[in-house]
Amino acid sequence: MTKYLNTLKAFICTVLITFSTVAQEHPSLILTKDGVSKIRAELGNVPLFDASLKKVKEEIDAEIALGIDTPIPKDYSGGYTHVRHKQNMFAMHQAGVLYQILEDEKYAKYVKDMLLQYEEMYKTLPLHPKTRSYARGKLFWQCLNDSNWLVYVSQAYDCIYDYLSKAERKKLENNLFRPFADHISVDSPQFYQRVHNHSTWGNAAVGMIGLVMNDKELIDRALYGIPGLDMDKSAKDDDGGFINKEGKAGFLANIEEPFSPEGYYNEGPYYQRYAMYPFLIFSEGLHNVKPELNIFEYKDGVLLKSINALLNLSNADGDFFPLNDGQKGMSYYTDALVSAVDISYYYGSQDPGLLSIAAKQNKVLLDDSGLAVALGVKNGKAIPFDKKSINLSDGPEGKQGGVGILRSKNTELVFKYASQGSSHGHYDKLSYSFYNTGNEVLQDYGLARFVNIEQKGGGNYLKENKTWAKQTIAHNTLVQNERSHYQGKYDIGSKYHPELYLYDDSNVAVQIVSAKETNAYPGTAMHRTMALIKDDSFENPFLLDILKIDSDSINQYDLPFYFIGQVIKTNFEYEVPNTLEPLGTSNGYQHLWSEGSGISTDENTKLSWLDQGKFYTLTSASLKNDELKFVRIGANDPDFNLRREAGFVIRRKNTQNTLFISTTETHGGYSPVTESAVNSYSNIKELKVILDNEDYTAVMITTVKDITKVFIIANNNASTEATHALKIKDKNYEWSGSYYFK
């Protein structure tokens, strides 16, 4: 941290000196005069850029033909006025770019006419009539969307700056832009003065219009926050997160605090994707207007590193893993990632792997970075972006847990041992999800929200996000006594995080991530080790899951597995009730229908299912009288806000210290065309714990062909240099390192 504080001090000194220099040339924010000249010279010769330009031109010509509409705001997300103002910001931004590249004044006139309509309306515009937000906007129901608008419109203003008369610029700045910037900042400190993706948008909006207007006060406010402001340290936002408990604010603090050294963003990939646009666009503006600030080198260049981290937080299809609040299906095909890839390539190390992502996105920014990417693709420089196993730490210094991603063949394991993740975090310590060829096998639910669908709660978060999606039982991790981790309270969860015990991807055959959590339930320690194993005895890599629990009390433990697909077979008997009842009454249990229940009678419990032509089998080492429950999401949900998806819960009652061991196999396939099933049965004959004590846990895996493998994890010594000698049932095991597999 000391290194970063020194960097910040040096950065501030540089800013104080350099901001005395006046920069009046326009455009200079994202597009530059020199860059525009280069773009014009290449038109017609760079297919990807030309196609992107053609598409934007068609869209904006259609908008111009439609006419300008700036309605009085009244709707939530998804409603007409919300969508219209959102479309207007995009249209102005793109029209400004077209004016610069094509030199056609109809685009500048379109932007000018719309801005003057907004100026006329904004002078007397009250707060938005919808009152749900903790920080109401004027054009939109929340300041966040107002900030979105100003980030885009500031770029449009920069593009037509010289087209406008001095009187027109004065009118817009005095009556629209300056009051707009003041409303989302000094008038709304609960929104602006914090470390959060919301305030990042606000900082960027104020800073970008400040750069265009050459307004030092706004630029300083953007970088450092509102000076001399004393905030209520106990105040919270709509999601239950503290607004400004630590007193930190401004764009630099929003780079410093949420990102780990490797570029993991503590709110998760969904919100990192959302925040990357203002992070990178404002940084690009600072780079172009004040290149001496070296903004892309701040905190060891973490902004550019974060793009690599974010791309690695996507599955084989490019969809981001839904950690914390995250909508499934959001992917690197979104426009925010087009910007991120282009800017990262241009201002970074020109990684040719990024060009392959850009080629898949099939569009580029209409600026210097987009031209560079399009030229790279044209010149055949692209190589595949290689997503390998990776461990991403969490926290500003990388000391607040993290996320481990193990990849082998077509399988991907996402193991979450991260911090609470701001107000968008879930109570899901040591949880995981599992993928095969981009498809969910064992899922993370994600968020409970229909984004921008007005009919569903105004397009905002639904109450079920708190009552279900954030709760521990909604995730593939341990629940004690039907209570969520940290009592489901942000105040408690924000104080703690799991600790990484071991991460090792050096052996492609056995990759391991392991972490411990001691604060989710006071008096109970959880240690979860997950190994992705590629072995010749198995058709595909399989997942070994070891969850060790030590407690100072007797408890009930539930371990859910949210599988995707159709049940094929179990090796246990179960009863299906005639009348469905919820599994519990609170902490998410009220949203689970109890669809079937049985008792373990074998040393192994097996569940097989089929999804998208692939078979999967979960094998668990059972204890006598383990309760085995089939559940389905959707109880106490009269508005059908939740997806009706299945889960399987292993319940262990009246237990103090215990061990949950399981494997997940991917095997065989089924073709509905040939109606043939291949390798539809599990390859595991027996999964058995052969030793479990304070120092070691050993598991024996026997295949149907009687091939035996033993996996041993050292529970308290993760050193790669340590040597171990262990005798189990008259057999000696010796090895170096943290684990044994043979």
Side-chain angles (χ1 to χ4, degrees):
M1 181 62 75
T2 302
K3 176 177 66 174
Y4 292 142
L5 289 175
N6 291 335
T7 303
L8 177 59
K9 291 177 182 178
F11 189 88
I12 292 172
C13 291
T14 306
V15 169
L16 293 175
I17 295 170
T18 56
F19 277 162
S20 62
T21 304
V22 176
Q24 294 289 348
E25 187 175 75
H26 297 276
S28 59
L29 194 61
I30 306 304
L31 285 171
T32 63
K33 284 189 175 294
D34 182 56
V36 169
S37 296
K38 292 177 181 177
I39 289 170
R40 290 173 185 164
E42 294 287 356
L43 291 181
N45 298 314
V46 190
L48 185 52
F49 191 94
D50 293 335
S52 299
L53 178 63
K54 180 176 182 292
K55 183 179 180 182
V56 168
K57 184 178 184 304
E58 290 172 351
E59 292 172 352
I60 300 307
D61 285 347
E63 285 290 331
I64 292 175
L66 184 66
I68 296 172
D69 184 18
T70 55
I72 298 298
K74 68 175 184 178
D75 300 317
Y76 277 128
S77 304
Y80 174 74
T81 62
H82 182 99
V83 172
R84 187 64 259 170
H85 290 302
K86 184 177 178 180
Q87 183 59 34
N88 285 347
M89 77 185 187
F90 292 137
M92 282 190 280
H93 169 227
Q94 293 167 335
V97 171
L98 291 175
Y99 168 62
Q100 284 295 325
I101 294 175
L102 301 178
E103 300 180 279
D104 187 336
E105 289 193 1
K106 77 173 183 180
Y107 298 112
K109 183 178 185 304
Y110 175 72
V111 176
K112 182 183 89 167
D113 291 347
M114 192 183 299
L115 284 177
L116 290 174
Q117 283 194 28
Y118 274 110
E119 180 271 339
E120 182 63 28
M121 177 175 65
Y122 198 82
K123 288 185 296 189
T124 58
L125 197 64
L127 289 176
H128 196 281
K130 298 296 186 183
T131 60
R132 177 183 294 180
S133 176
Y134 77 109
R136 289 157 68 189
K138 290 190 174 184
L139 286 183
F140 300 91
W141 68 278
Q142 57 177 345
C143 280
L144 174 60
N145 299 108
D146 277 31
S147 298
N148 298 162
W149 189 90
L150 190 55
V151 165
Y152 284 93
V153 173
S154 62
Q155 297 173 66
Y157 183 46
D158 184 47
C159 286
I160 70 159
Y161 190 93
D162 291 335
Y163 174 81
L164 299 169
S165 68
K166 184 176 181 181
E168 288 168 336
R169 292 196 296 267
K170 183 177 180 180
K171 185 177 185 180
L172 289 172
E173 292 181 7
N174 289 343
N175 299 334
L176 177 61
F177 293 134
R178 183 62 190 242
F180 205 111
D182 286 344
H183 176 68
I184 61 178
S185 56
V186 294
D187 295 344
S188 308
Q190 74 276 26
F191 161 78
Y192 188 85
Q193 194 80 350
R194 62 185 308 199
V195 172
H196 194 275
N197 77 79
H198 286 192
S199 52
T200 298
W201 276 98
N203 301 154
V206 171
M208 290 176 72
I209 198 63
L211 287 175
V212 181
M213 294 164 53
N214 194 31
D215 188 320
K216 183 180 182 299
E217 181 184 357
L218 290 182
I219 297 168
D220 285 349
R221 189 188 302 170
L223 291 173
Y224 315 118
I226 304 166
L229 183 65
D230 186 20
M231 298 284 289
D232 179 358
K233 305 300 183 186
S234 64
K236 296 182 179 180
D237 63 14
D238 297 335
D239 297 310
F242 288 110
I243 288 175
N244 195 331
K245 188 177 182 181
E246 304 301 326
K248 297 174 181 178
F251 188 69
L252 297 182
N254 271 285
I255 297 175
E256 186 67 46
E257 292 299 314
F259 288 103
S260 74
E262 296 96 347
Y264 177 77
Y265 187 68
N266 71 351
E267 294 183 43
Y270 181 74
Y271 277 96
Q272 181 175 352
R273 168 273 326 172
Y274 180 61
M276 286 322 298
Y277 186 79
F279 270 125
L280 293 174
I281 284 294
F282 184 32
S283 293
E284 189 174 10
L286 288 169
H287 176 89
N288 287 334
V289 178
K290 302 293 180 184
E292 61 273 24
L293 300 182
N294 295 318
I295 187 65
F296 285 116
E297 296 177 18
Y298 187 72
K299 194 181 175 181
D300 293 335
V302 73
L303 286 180
L304 297 180
K305 290 179 183 178
S306 71
I307 306 308
N308 182 72
L310 185 53
L311 292 173
N312 270 292
L313 285 163
S314 67
N315 67 17
D317 295 330
D319 293 346
F320 296 121
F321 301 127
L323 303 174
N324 294 332
D325 285 341
Q327 177 167 245
K328 292 186 176 181
M330 177 54 71
S331 73
Y332 60 50
Y333 293 100
T334 182
D335 284 346
L337 264 291
V338 172
S339 303
V341 167
D342 291 1
I343 291 172
S344 180
Y345 177 82
Y346 185 64
Y347 293 101
S349 59
Q350 286 75 57
D351 177 4
L354 293 173
L355 297 179
S356 66
I357 301 291
K360 291 179 180 179
Q361 293 170 332
N362 200 31
K363 63 166 69 172
V364 293
L365 294 176
L366 300 180
D367 66 4
D368 299 15
S369 66
L371 179 63
V373 167
L375 284 168
V377 172
K378 175 192 174 184
N379 295 330
K381 295 181 179 179
I383 63 172
F385 185 87
D386 189 14
K387 286 193 283 190
K388 299 179 180 179
S389 297
I390 189 172
N391 188 51
L392 299 169
S393 66
D394 193 3
E397 296 183 79
K399 297 179 180 180
Q400 296 177 14
V403 174
I405 304 169
L406 302 181
R407 292 182 166 101
S408 181
K409 199 175 177 181
N410 294 320
T411 59
E412 295 172 303
L413 166 73
V414 184
F415 180 62
K416 186 185 177 204
Y417 62 99
S419 65
Q420 189 58 33
S422 190
S423 56
H424 287 295
H426 289 191
Y427 302 97
D428 60 345
K429 303 305 117 177
L430 308 188
S431 67
Y432 78 100
S433 54
F434 192 52
Y435 292 77
N436 179 52
T437 61
N439 300 318
E440 293 175 305
V441 178
L442 293 164
Q443 68 151 333
D444 187 303
Y445 187 86
L447 54 72
R449 178 185 182 185
F450 291 78
V451 183
N452 287 325
I453 300 177
E454 188 182 27
Q455 302 95 309
K456 283 289 192 178
N460 306 313
Y461 279 99
L462 300 163
K463 67 180 185 299
E464 289 82 8
N465 200 59
K466 293 180 180 178
T467 60
W468 165 253
K470 285 178 177 283
Q471 299 298 326
T472 305
I473 189 59
H475 303 84
N476 302 310
T477 192
L478 186 84
V479 186
Q480 178 175 294
N481 300 327
E482 298 188 22
R483 299 292 301 273
S484 285
H485 296 169
Y486 309 129
Q487 301 177 43
K489 295 180 179 179
Y490 178 80
D491 306 42
I492 300 173
S494 61
K495 295 178 181 178
Y496 304 109
H497 56 82
E499 297 286 350
L500 178 66
Y501 175 69
L502 167 67
Y503 176 85
D504 186 355
D505 62 12
S506 60
N507 180 0
V508 68
V510 184
Q511 302 179 69
I512 297 179
V513 60
S514 178
K516 297 182 178 184
E517 167 58 54
T518 58
N519 296 292
Y521 300 110
T524 297
M526 298 185 287
H527 182 186
R528 195 169 204 172
T529 299
M530 311 205 79
L532 193 56
I533 299 173
K534 182 179 180 182
D535 187 86
D536 291 340
S537 302
F538 289 79
E539 176 187 358
N540 294 300
F542 69 93
L543 177 64
L544 174 62
D545 176 15
I546 301 173
L547 177 54
K548 185 176 176 65
I549 302 154
D550 292 304
S551 183
D552 59 10
S553 61
I554 295 174
N555 303 289
Q556 172 187 291
Y557 300 115
D558 289 342
L559 184 59
F561 300 86
Y562 289 97
F563 63 93
I564 301 293
Q566 179 70 45
V567 172
I568 297 298
K569 184 177 176 59
T570 71
N571 71 338
F572 57 91
E573 298 293 329
Y574 57 89
E575 294 183 356
V576 176
N578 293 323
T579 302
L580 295 181
E581 297 288 343
L583 189 62
T585 59
S586 60
N587 301 308
Y589 280 78
Q590 74 274 24
H591 290 302
L592 286 174
W593 290 119
S594 181
E595 288 194 332
S597 185
I599 299 292
S600 63
T601 57
D602 199 339
E603 291 185 352
N604 281 178
T605 294
K606 281 186 175 291
L607 166 66
S608 295
W609 66 95
L610 174 68
D611 184 53
Q612 300 191 52
K614 294 290 184 182
F615 291 101
Y616 304 96
T617 298
L618 174 73
T619 302
S620 179
S622 307
L623 296 184
K624 186 178 180 180
N625 295 325
D626 277 354
E627 295 184 12
L628 310 172
K629 296 181 177 294
F630 283 104
V631 296
R632 189 168 300 275
I633 304 164
N636 291 298
D637 180 29
D639 296 323
F640 293 91
N641 288 334
L642 298 173
R643 304 189 303 271
R644 268 48 180 170
E645 293 165 340
F648 176 65
V649 179
I650 301 175
R651 171 169 288 180
R652 197 164 289 169
K653 291 182 175 179
N654 301 317
T655 304
Q656 186 169 354
N657 302 330
T658 193
L659 192 66
F660 287 92
I661 303 288
S662 66
T663 58
T664 303
E665 300 167 78
T666 302
H667 54 95
Y670 178 78
S671 169
V673 176
T674 63
E675 296 183 323
S676 61
V678 178
N679 195 22
S680 61
Y681 286 89
S682 166
N683 189 41
I684 294 179
K685 178 180 179 180
E686 184 181 31
L687 178 65
K688 186 176 183 179
V689 178
I690 57 175
L691 177 71
D692 182 45
N693 59 34
E694 182 180 351
D695 296 319
Y696 300 99
T697 299
V699 179
M700 179 179 289
I701 304 168
T702 304
T703 72
V704 293
K705 293 183 178 180
D706 289 323
I707 298 172
T708 298
K709 301 287 183 176
V710 172
F711 181 92
I712 307 172
I713 181 74
N715 293 321
N716 294 305
N717 188 347
S719 171
T720 57
E721 306 298 325
T723 58
H724 304 269
L726 192 61
K727 189 173 185 177
I728 305 175
K729 295 183 179 179
D730 298 324
K731 185 172 181 179
N732 294 317
Y733 297 89
E734 295 182 0
W735 75 95
S736 297
S738 55
Y739 72 92
Y740 170 97
F741 180 74
K742 192 173 181 180

